[in-house]
Amino acid sequence: MFDITSNLVPKADQIPAIEKLVQNIKNNVKQQVLLGATGTGKTFTIANVVAQTKLKTLVLVHNKTLASQLYSEFKELFQNDNVEYYVSYFDFYQPEAYKPATDTYIEKKAISNQEIEMLRLSTINSLSSSKNTIVIASVAAIYASVSPIDFEDFKIVLKTNTDRNLKQLIYELVRLGYSRNENSNLEVGEFRNKGDVLEIALGHADTYTIRISFFGSEIEDIAKIDKLNNNILEHWNMVVITPANEYIMNRDRLDESIARIKGEKNERVEYFKKMGKLIEMQRIGERVDHDIEMLLELGYCNGIENYSRHLELRNKGDCPYTLFDFLNKDEWLLVVDESHITMPQIRGMYEGDKSRKEKLVEYGWRLPSALDNRPLKFDEFNSKLKNVIYVSATPSLYEKEQAEYNIIQQIVRPTGLLDPLVFIHKKENQMNDLLKELEVQREKNERTFITVLTINMAEELTKFLLEKKIKVTYLHNELHTIERTKILNDLRKGKYEALVGINLLKEGIDVPEVSLVAIFDADKPGLFRNETSLIQTFGRAARNKNGRIIMYADDITKDMKHAMEETTRRRNLQEEYNKVHNIIPQTIIKPIRNDLSISLKKDIKEAEAFFHSDGKKFKSVKERIKLIESLKKEMLKASKLKNFERAIELRDLIIELEGDGKIN
């Protein structure tokens, strides 16, 4: 259980970091910080901690892209254990909302991803049935999920040589959300019955089905069947059938749930009547009556999640069930990656959700109980934690205080790469100074990041550099996925010498060819010039042996001073290690990933034309649909191969082409 399947061994600061983290957990130190510099192998350190403590582990990250990268890494390191992926199953999500100022109701609009739904269900199944499970999750983990009690109660356990009524078993499958399909290949969540044979495609597995063979009323055989060629892979003595999807409608308590919904509706209608709000009174009455009718008829209605308090028979204000409830039956470990970003994100989720829903309730679009379909409050989140490791190159004061300053440092890189040298240049004549530096970079054939504070400054600087014959472009937040990927690859290839941007801290911006980061207005107070942001920005040049930072400033702020001191401290530690071990730092060699445009060749050239405002469009709607279908096949193929980073890029491109709104 939790055996690392890799020839890699801990090196440099990884060795004492692993020892200390493990020892602290054994000594009941509940929260600690791993202060790990960029490129020191923090993921491998955490993997070794998991392997030595043997704890179920949840790795929490702040976005889907990073989650997919970590999932791939942990899957490679723990090939014999359950490594699961749990993120929002929406490719695109526009939440339900109401804007009183313009009397505009915005209906919920979502595009769900069946592959991710299956992976979420696989996560819940593994957590409920196995101890050797590692889950890589986005902050979707703090949102409401199925009750672990319901999930356990709805399981079906089948054993060979035992009696079982086939008709009753089919009824139980339908109760678990499975649907009958007698005509074609089974998809996940479907079953078929032919004579004494029942075949089931589990909700969390898309490569095999389960074939149950009966002899009379006795289960004679249970076989695992390859979906592709219908061959028998294994014979089992027992199988556990879990629900077909994450949401479970417990019809055994539906009558009581409906009675509670009706009761709340009547109270709300009376409230609006007393307040003289007749439009709101009519609106809530009609909406809830329609939803009740759908629940009774179909077991489902649009926005069913807004009735979760009643459907689960919870009390007002009760904490919703989440992924954490599947973890808390055992001792477990939470790893918060990039904690300086992830923790504030978790803290803000509840208030944002509440603010939106309060308007819906106030104007009669939803019952007040909709407020109980929500993410965890921050204190609820903290109450569920047992063992925590906050991981960051720049942990915030909050994480340090929570860990009571149990801070384990991992500064030295096994590669020998040093933190960049930091210089301060005066703002006077800064444009000409930058031009000189870019000429030096050109001679070395190395790239440059230039970060500024405003869109206007980025545009003006880009225009100025282009006039001076510098091959430069501007990376801004309105770029589509395909354009952003292509620009970064073109920078690496040398089509561009420099990249100008406001926030160059996003994932996927680690370019080893970048040896210089120029920071304009470094002495201006604000989010992008505080100590944490500066250290993170410095890290953009930490993958190149010639890494340098130039901060254009007239004063040295407190944040600048601390960032420089910390960078110098880390650089000195690395230099000492290199001397002892005779290491000569070498720039990281990172293959240049194919652009989506190269991968999909002719089709994507048309897609690029569609996105650029040069008047070029697809010749017909048919051609555009054909391209979208091609991309979807590529996305599903990448997902099946567990290449989630590529699948996410393709997914975002599909959304853009379909014109279904901004990227989520």
Side-chain angles (χ1 to χ4, degrees), residues 445-485:
N445 192 29
E446 293 175 353
R447 314 291 179 260
T448 303
F449 279 158
I450 306 164
T451 177
V452 296
L453 286 176
T454 67
I455 293 174
N456 184 58
M457 176 64 173
E459 292 172 344
E460 290 298 317
L461 179 57
T462 303
K463 183 180 177 181
F464 170 79
L465 293 175
L466 285 171
E467 289 173 353
K468 299 298 182 181
K469 309 301 182 185
I470 301 295
K471 294 184 289 184
V472 64
T473 191
Y474 165 35
L475 192 68
H476 55 86
N477 61 358
E478 293 182 1
L479 283 173
H480 293 285
T481 303
I482 185 172
E483 293 173 307
R484 183 173 177 271
T485 303

Short mmCIF file of all heavy atoms in Angstrom, two decimals, residues 445-485:
data_model
loop_
_atom_site.label_atom_id
_atom_site.label_comp_id
_atom_site.label_asym_id
_atom_site.label_seq_id
_atom_site.Cartn_x
_atom_site.Cartn_y
_atom_site.Cartn_z
N ASN A 445 20.94 34.60 -27.10
CA ASN A 445 19.80 33.80 -27.58
C ASN A 445 18.93 33.32 -26.41
O ASN A 445 18.52 32.16 -26.34
CB ASN A 445 20.28 32.60 -28.41
CG ASN A 445 19.14 31.93 -29.16
OD1 ASN A 445 18.14 32.57 -29.50
ND2 ASN A 445 19.26 30.63 -29.39
N GLU A 446 18.67 34.23 -25.49
CA GLU A 446 17.81 33.93 -24.33
C GLU A 446 16.63 34.89 -24.31
O GLU A 446 16.67 35.98 -24.88
CB GLU A 446 18.63 34.02 -23.04
CG GLU A 446 19.68 32.91 -22.96
CD GLU A 446 20.60 33.03 -21.75
OE1 GLU A 446 20.52 34.04 -21.03
OE2 GLU A 446 21.40 32.10 -21.54
N ARG A 447 15.57 34.47 -23.63
CA ARG A 447 14.29 35.20 -23.68
C ARG A 447 14.08 36.06 -22.44
O ARG A 447 14.73 35.88 -21.40
CB ARG A 447 13.13 34.24 -23.83
CG ARG A 447 13.33 33.16 -24.87
CD ARG A 447 13.33 33.67 -26.29
NE ARG A 447 13.56 32.55 -27.19
CZ ARG A 447 14.73 32.25 -27.73
NH1 ARG A 447 15.78 33.03 -27.49
NH2 ARG A 447 14.87 31.20 -28.51
N THR A 448 13.08 36.97 -22.55
CA THR A 448 12.82 37.93 -21.48
C THR A 448 11.32 38.04 -21.21
O THR A 448 10.51 38.09 -22.14
CB THR A 448 13.35 39.33 -21.88
OG1 THR A 448 14.75 39.23 -22.17
CG2 THR A 448 13.11 40.34 -20.77
N PHE A 449 10.98 38.09 -19.93
CA PHE A 449 9.63 38.46 -19.50
C PHE A 449 9.68 39.90 -19.00
O PHE A 449 10.60 40.28 -18.26
CB PHE A 449 9.16 37.58 -18.34
CG PHE A 449 8.64 36.23 -18.75
CD1 PHE A 449 8.61 35.19 -17.83
CD2 PHE A 449 8.14 36.01 -20.02
CE1 PHE A 449 8.12 33.95 -18.18
CE2 PHE A 449 7.65 34.76 -20.39
CZ PHE A 449 7.64 33.72 -19.46
N ILE A 450 8.69 40.69 -19.39
CA ILE A 450 8.59 42.08 -18.91
C ILE A 450 7.22 42.24 -18.28
O ILE A 450 6.20 42.03 -18.95
CB ILE A 450 8.76 43.09 -20.07
CG1 ILE A 450 10.06 42.82 -20.84
CG2 ILE A 450 8.72 44.52 -19.54
CD1 ILE A 450 10.12 43.50 -22.19
N THR A 451 7.18 42.59 -17.01
CA THR A 451 5.89 42.70 -16.33
C THR A 451 5.63 44.15 -15.93
O THR A 451 6.51 44.83 -15.38
CB THR A 451 5.82 41.76 -15.10
OG1 THR A 451 4.58 41.94 -14.42
CG2 THR A 451 6.95 42.00 -14.13
N VAL A 452 4.42 44.62 -16.25
CA VAL A 452 4.01 45.99 -15.97
C VAL A 452 2.70 45.95 -15.17
O VAL A 452 2.15 44.88 -14.92
CB VAL A 452 3.83 46.80 -17.27
CG1 VAL A 452 5.14 46.93 -18.02
CG2 VAL A 452 2.77 46.15 -18.17
N LEU A 453 2.20 47.14 -14.79
CA LEU A 453 1.04 47.17 -13.89
C LEU A 453 -0.30 47.44 -14.58
O LEU A 453 -1.34 47.15 -14.01
CB LEU A 453 1.25 48.23 -12.79
CG LEU A 453 2.24 47.86 -11.70
CD1 LEU A 453 2.43 49.02 -10.74
CD2 LEU A 453 1.78 46.62 -10.94
N THR A 454 -0.29 48.02 -15.78
CA THR A 454 -1.55 48.38 -16.41
C THR A 454 -1.60 47.89 -17.85
O THR A 454 -0.56 47.68 -18.49
CB THR A 454 -1.77 49.90 -16.42
OG1 THR A 454 -0.79 50.51 -17.27
CG2 THR A 454 -1.66 50.48 -15.01
N ILE A 455 -2.82 47.71 -18.35
CA ILE A 455 -3.02 47.30 -19.75
C ILE A 455 -2.44 48.35 -20.70
O ILE A 455 -1.78 48.02 -21.68
CB ILE A 455 -4.52 47.07 -20.02
CG1 ILE A 455 -5.03 45.87 -19.22
CG2 ILE A 455 -4.77 46.88 -21.51
CD1 ILE A 455 -6.52 45.66 -19.31
N ASN A 456 -2.70 49.62 -20.37
CA ASN A 456 -2.21 50.70 -21.22
C ASN A 456 -0.68 50.68 -21.32
O ASN A 456 -0.11 50.84 -22.41
CB ASN A 456 -2.69 52.04 -20.67
CG ASN A 456 -2.29 53.21 -21.55
OD1 ASN A 456 -2.64 53.25 -22.73
ND2 ASN A 456 -1.53 54.14 -20.99
N MET A 457 -0.01 50.47 -20.17
CA MET A 457 1.45 50.42 -20.16
C MET A 457 1.96 49.24 -20.98
O MET A 457 2.94 49.36 -21.73
CB MET A 457 1.95 50.30 -18.71
CG MET A 457 3.45 50.15 -18.57
SD MET A 457 4.37 51.59 -19.14
CE MET A 457 6.03 51.16 -18.65
N ALA A 458 1.29 48.09 -20.87
CA ALA A 458 1.69 46.91 -21.63
C ALA A 458 1.58 47.17 -23.12
O ALA A 458 2.48 46.81 -23.91
CB ALA A 458 0.82 45.72 -21.23
N GLU A 459 0.49 47.80 -23.54
CA GLU A 459 0.28 48.09 -24.96
C GLU A 459 1.30 49.10 -25.48
O GLU A 459 1.87 48.93 -26.57
CB GLU A 459 -1.14 48.60 -25.18
CG GLU A 459 -2.20 47.51 -24.94
CD GLU A 459 -3.62 48.06 -24.97
OE1 GLU A 459 -3.78 49.30 -24.88
OE2 GLU A 459 -4.57 47.26 -25.07
N GLU A 460 1.54 50.16 -24.70
CA GLU A 460 2.48 51.19 -25.13
C GLU A 460 3.91 50.65 -25.19
O GLU A 460 4.67 50.97 -26.11
CB GLU A 460 2.41 52.39 -24.17
CG GLU A 460 1.12 53.20 -24.28
CD GLU A 460 0.94 53.80 -25.66
OE1 GLU A 460 1.93 54.33 -26.22
OE2 GLU A 460 -0.18 53.75 -26.19
N LEU A 461 4.28 49.85 -24.19
CA LEU A 461 5.63 49.29 -24.16
C LEU A 461 5.84 48.34 -25.33
O LEU A 461 6.90 48.35 -25.98
CB LEU A 461 5.88 48.57 -22.83
CG LEU A 461 7.24 47.91 -22.65
CD1 LEU A 461 8.37 48.92 -22.82
CD2 LEU A 461 7.34 47.23 -21.29
N THR A 462 4.85 47.52 -25.60
CA THR A 462 4.94 46.59 -26.74
C THR A 462 5.11 47.36 -28.04
O THR A 462 5.96 47.01 -28.89
CB THR A 462 3.69 45.70 -26.81
OG1 THR A 462 3.53 45.00 -25.57
CG2 THR A 462 3.79 44.69 -27.94
N LYS A 463 4.32 48.42 -28.21
CA LYS A 463 4.40 49.25 -29.41
C LYS A 463 5.79 49.88 -29.54
O LYS A 463 6.40 49.88 -30.63
CB LYS A 463 3.33 50.33 -29.35
CG LYS A 463 3.27 51.23 -30.58
CD LYS A 463 2.16 52.27 -30.43
CE LYS A 463 2.13 53.21 -31.63
NZ LYS A 463 1.07 54.25 -31.49
N PHE A 464 6.33 50.40 -28.44
CA PHE A 464 7.65 51.03 -28.43
C PHE A 464 8.73 50.03 -28.84
O PHE A 464 9.60 50.33 -29.67
CB PHE A 464 7.94 51.59 -27.03
CG PHE A 464 9.36 52.04 -26.83
CD1 PHE A 464 9.81 53.26 -27.31
CD2 PHE A 464 10.27 51.22 -26.14
CE1 PHE A 464 11.13 53.67 -27.11
CE2 PHE A 464 11.58 51.61 -25.95
CZ PHE A 464 12.01 52.85 -26.43
N LEU A 465 8.69 48.83 -28.26
CA LEU A 465 9.72 47.83 -28.55
C LEU A 465 9.64 47.34 -30.00
O LEU A 465 10.67 47.08 -30.63
CB LEU A 465 9.58 46.65 -27.58
CG LEU A 465 9.90 46.97 -26.11
CD1 LEU A 465 9.61 45.77 -25.21
CD2 LEU A 465 11.36 47.40 -25.94
N LEU A 466 8.42 47.22 -30.51
CA LEU A 466 8.27 46.82 -31.91
C LEU A 466 8.88 47.85 -32.85
O LEU A 466 9.51 47.51 -33.86
CB LEU A 466 6.79 46.61 -32.24
CG LEU A 466 6.14 45.33 -31.69
CD1 LEU A 466 4.63 45.36 -31.88
CD2 LEU A 466 6.73 44.08 -32.35
N GLU A 467 8.71 49.13 -32.50
CA GLU A 467 9.29 50.20 -33.31
C GLU A 467 10.82 50.14 -33.30
O GLU A 467 11.48 50.58 -34.24
CB GLU A 467 8.82 51.57 -32.80
CG GLU A 467 7.34 51.84 -33.10
CD GLU A 467 6.85 53.11 -32.43
OE1 GLU A 467 7.62 53.69 -31.63
OE2 GLU A 467 5.70 53.52 -32.69
N LYS A 468 11.36 49.59 -32.20
CA LYS A 468 12.82 49.46 -32.07
C LYS A 468 13.32 48.11 -32.59
O LYS A 468 14.44 47.69 -32.31
CB LYS A 468 13.22 49.62 -30.60
CG LYS A 468 12.86 50.98 -30.00
CD LYS A 468 13.57 52.12 -30.71
CE LYS A 468 13.23 53.47 -30.07
NZ LYS A 468 13.91 54.58 -30.78
N LYS A 469 12.46 47.41 -33.35
CA LYS A 469 12.81 46.16 -34.01
C LYS A 469 13.06 45.01 -33.03
O LYS A 469 13.82 44.07 -33.33
CB LYS A 469 14.05 46.33 -34.91
CG LYS A 469 13.97 47.50 -35.89
CD LYS A 469 12.78 47.36 -36.82
CE LYS A 469 12.72 48.52 -37.82
NZ LYS A 469 11.51 48.47 -38.66
N ILE A 470 12.44 45.08 -31.87
CA ILE A 470 12.48 43.96 -30.92
C ILE A 470 11.30 43.04 -31.22
O ILE A 470 10.16 43.50 -31.38
CB ILE A 470 12.39 44.45 -29.46
CG1 ILE A 470 13.54 45.38 -29.13
CG2 ILE A 470 12.37 43.25 -28.50
CD1 ILE A 470 14.92 44.76 -29.18
N LYS A 471 11.57 41.76 -31.33
CA LYS A 471 10.50 40.79 -31.59
C LYS A 471 9.76 40.52 -30.27
O LYS A 471 10.21 39.73 -29.44
CB LYS A 471 11.08 39.50 -32.16
CG LYS A 471 11.71 39.68 -33.54
CD LYS A 471 12.19 38.36 -34.12
CE LYS A 471 13.41 37.83 -33.40
NZ LYS A 471 13.94 36.60 -34.03
N VAL A 472 8.64 41.21 -30.09
CA VAL A 472 7.94 41.18 -28.81
C VAL A 472 6.44 41.04 -29.04
O VAL A 472 5.93 41.42 -30.11
CB VAL A 472 8.24 42.48 -28.01
CG1 VAL A 472 7.71 43.70 -28.74
CG2 VAL A 472 7.67 42.40 -26.60
N THR A 473 5.74 40.50 -28.08
CA THR A 473 4.28 40.46 -28.13
C THR A 473 3.74 40.64 -26.72
O THR A 473 4.49 40.57 -25.74
CB THR A 473 3.76 39.16 -28.76
OG1 THR A 473 2.36 39.28 -29.01
CG2 THR A 473 3.99 37.97 -27.83
N TYR A 474 2.44 40.85 -26.64
CA TYR A 474 1.77 41.18 -25.38
C TYR A 474 0.83 40.03 -25.00
O TYR A 474 -0.03 39.64 -25.79
CB TYR A 474 1.02 42.50 -25.57
CG TYR A 474 -0.02 42.87 -24.53
CD1 TYR A 474 0.13 42.55 -23.19
CD2 TYR A 474 -1.16 43.57 -24.92
CE1 TYR A 474 -0.83 42.91 -22.26
CE2 TYR A 474 -2.12 43.94 -23.99
CZ TYR A 474 -1.95 43.59 -22.66
OH TYR A 474 -2.90 43.94 -21.74
N LEU A 475 1.01 39.46 -23.82
CA LEU A 475 0.16 38.37 -23.33
C LEU A 475 -0.91 38.96 -22.42
O LEU A 475 -0.62 39.42 -21.33
CB LEU A 475 1.02 37.37 -22.55
CG LEU A 475 0.35 36.02 -22.22
CD1 LEU A 475 0.11 35.21 -23.48
CD2 LEU A 475 1.22 35.23 -21.24
N HIS A 476 -2.16 38.98 -22.89
CA HIS A 476 -3.22 39.58 -22.09
C HIS A 476 -4.34 38.58 -21.80
O HIS A 476 -4.38 37.49 -22.37
CB HIS A 476 -3.78 40.83 -22.79
CG HIS A 476 -4.27 40.58 -24.19
ND1 HIS A 476 -5.54 40.14 -24.46
CD2 HIS A 476 -3.64 40.70 -25.38
CE1 HIS A 476 -5.68 40.01 -25.77
NE2 HIS A 476 -4.54 40.34 -26.35
N ASN A 477 -5.24 38.96 -20.92
CA ASN A 477 -6.23 38.02 -20.41
C ASN A 477 -7.35 37.69 -21.37
O ASN A 477 -8.16 36.81 -21.10
CB ASN A 477 -6.83 38.53 -19.08
CG ASN A 477 -7.56 39.86 -19.26
OD1 ASN A 477 -7.59 40.42 -20.35
ND2 ASN A 477 -8.12 40.37 -18.17
N GLU A 478 -7.42 38.36 -22.52
CA GLU A 478 -8.48 38.07 -23.48
C GLU A 478 -8.04 37.06 -24.54
O GLU A 478 -8.82 36.70 -25.42
CB GLU A 478 -8.94 39.36 -24.15
CG GLU A 478 -9.65 40.32 -23.18
CD GLU A 478 -10.14 41.58 -23.88
OE1 GLU A 478 -9.93 41.68 -25.11
OE2 GLU A 478 -10.73 42.43 -23.20
N LEU A 479 -6.80 36.60 -24.43
CA LEU A 479 -6.32 35.62 -25.41
C LEU A 479 -7.03 34.29 -25.24
O LEU A 479 -7.25 33.82 -24.12
CB LEU A 479 -4.81 35.40 -25.23
CG LEU A 479 -3.88 36.48 -25.78
CD1 LEU A 479 -2.45 36.17 -25.37
CD2 LEU A 479 -3.98 36.59 -27.28
N HIS A 480 -7.37 33.67 -26.35
CA HIS A 480 -7.95 32.34 -26.31
C HIS A 480 -6.85 31.32 -26.02
O HIS A 480 -5.66 31.57 -26.18
CB HIS A 480 -8.62 32.02 -27.65
CG HIS A 480 -9.82 32.86 -27.92
ND1 HIS A 480 -11.03 32.65 -27.29
CD2 HIS A 480 -10.01 33.92 -28.74
CE1 HIS A 480 -11.91 33.53 -27.73
NE2 HIS A 480 -11.31 34.33 -28.61
N THR A 481 -7.28 30.12 -25.63
CA THR A 481 -6.34 29.05 -25.26
C THR A 481 -5.33 28.79 -26.37
O THR A 481 -4.13 28.68 -26.12
CB THR A 481 -7.12 27.76 -24.97
OG1 THR A 481 -8.06 28.02 -23.93
CG2 THR A 481 -6.19 26.64 -24.53
N ILE A 482 -5.82 28.67 -27.59
CA ILE A 482 -4.92 28.32 -28.69
C ILE A 482 -3.87 29.41 -28.91
O ILE A 482 -2.70 29.13 -29.16
CB ILE A 482 -5.73 28.08 -29.99
CG1 ILE A 482 -4.80 27.62 -31.10
CG2 ILE A 482 -6.50 29.31 -30.42
CD1 ILE A 482 -5.54 27.17 -32.34
N GLU A 483 -4.27 30.68 -28.77
CA GLU A 483 -3.34 31.79 -28.98
C GLU A 483 -2.30 31.85 -27.86
O GLU A 483 -1.11 32.08 -28.11
CB GLU A 483 -4.12 33.10 -29.06
CG GLU A 483 -5.00 33.20 -30.30
CD GLU A 483 -5.89 34.43 -30.29
OE1 GLU A 483 -6.61 34.64 -29.30
OE2 GLU A 483 -5.84 35.18 -31.26
N ARG A 484 -2.76 31.63 -26.63
CA ARG A 484 -1.84 31.69 -25.48
C ARG A 484 -0.78 30.60 -25.58
O ARG A 484 0.42 30.85 -25.39
CB ARG A 484 -2.65 31.53 -24.20
CG ARG A 484 -1.86 31.65 -22.92
CD ARG A 484 -2.84 31.65 -21.74
NE ARG A 484 -2.16 31.69 -20.48
CZ ARG A 484 -1.76 30.62 -19.80
NH1 ARG A 484 -1.97 29.42 -20.31
NH2 ARG A 484 -1.15 30.74 -18.64
N THR A 485 -1.21 29.38 -25.90
CA THR A 485 -0.27 28.26 -26.04
C THR A 485 0.72 28.53 -27.16
O THR A 485 1.92 28.28 -27.03
CB THR A 485 -1.04 26.96 -26.32
OG1 THR A 485 -1.98 26.74 -25.27
CG2 THR A 485 -0.11 25.77 -26.41
#
